[in-house]
Amino acid sequence: MDKTDRSILNLLQKDGKITIKEIAERLNLTTTPIFERVKKLEREGYIKSYKAILDRKKAGLQLMVFCNVTLNLHQTDYLKKFEKDIQQFPEVVECYHVAGMFDYLIKIYAEDMESYQHFLSNKLASLENISKVQSSFVMTEVKDFSFLPIP
């Protein structure tokens, strides 16, 4: 990956709807090599997908929760089962297997405290092998930006 590829990736991260023509103009190149580079970056997996980022509050999801989960048993089969099971819940938007005091960190969006309580009691608690759950409620989003700092 060279400087031009990095510039293309940075432009696409800032605006996924930018056209090939606009990228070419900003980089002082023609459209054909830019098109070919973008296709190559997609093929090689640098660009995973294109999506619209929604305003969660306008979508009715007022509550963001980070939930630390500790499992009872840590053998591979139990970890894989938890990772498979957690994917069934649309409220869970991110899940990470972490090192430290907890086994998993999950990010959850909910309409309000009542809907989160329903999720916790009726969905998360239904999973086997959970030992401990600790919830942290986001009061203010200080920085919400998923732009990778490409050097």
Side-chain angles (χ1 to χ4, degrees), residues 67-125:
C67 190
N68 295 300
V69 176
T70 302
L71 302 181
N72 284 314
L73 302 169
H74 296 90
Q75 288 87 353
T76 302
D77 290 345
Y78 292 105
L79 298 175
K80 286 182 181 179
K81 178 155 178 34
F82 175 82
E83 291 171 8
K84 179 180 174 264
D85 291 346
I86 201 72
Q87 306 230 9
Q88 69 183 312
F89 305 131
E91 297 91 343
V92 175
V93 295
E94 296 177 30
C95 178
Y96 304 95
H97 186 196
V98 296
M101 295 179 62
F102 302 96
D103 297 316
Y104 289 92
L105 173 65
I106 58 177
K107 182 177 179 182
I108 300 151
Y109 290 146
E111 292 176 34
D112 51 29
M113 187 61 77
E114 185 179 336
S115 64
Y116 176 68
Q117 193 274 332
H118 179 271
F119 164 79
L120 194 60
S121 300
N122 298 304
K123 293 183 176 182
L124 191 60

Side-chain angles (χ1 to χ4, degrees), residues 29-69:
L29 296 169
T30 60
T31 57
T32 301
I34 295 296
F35 178 80
E36 290 171 359
R37 283 174 177 264
V38 169
K39 290 301 171 193
K40 180 180 175 204
L41 290 166
E42 291 171 349
R43 270 192 320 275
E44 292 179 354
Y46 288 97
I47 299 171
K48 289 172 49 174
S49 67
Y50 297 91
K51 44 184 118 171
I53 299 171
L54 306 181
D55 183 308
R56 70 172 174 85
K57 290 182 179 178
K58 287 185 179 182
L61 301 168
Q62 301 300 317
L63 190 62
M64 181 192 310
V65 183
F66 288 95
C67 190
N68 295 300
V69 176

Side-chain angles (χ1 to χ4, degrees), residues 112-144:
D112 51 29
M113 187 61 77
E114 185 179 336
S115 64
Y116 176 68
Q117 193 274 332
H118 179 271
F119 164 79
L120 194 60
S121 300
N122 298 304
K123 293 183 176 182
L124 191 60
S126 72
L127 299 182
E128 298 174 17
N129 196 32
I130 291 181
S131 167
K132 182 178 172 184
V133 173
Q134 180 181 356
S135 302
S136 297
F137 302 94
V138 174
M139 295 174 20
T140 304
E141 290 180 58
V142 177
K143 183 177 181 181
D144 178 19

Side-chain angles (χ1 to χ4, degrees), residues 3-16 18 26 41 147-151:
K3 182 181 175 187
T4 302
D5 290 335
R6 287 180 178 84
S7 296
I8 291 169
L9 291 174
N10 282 322
L11 289 169
L12 285 169
Q13 282 190 104
K14 290 177 186 171
D15 179 5
I18 191 170
R26 290 192 190 178
L41 290 166
F147 186 90
L148 294 179
I150 309 279

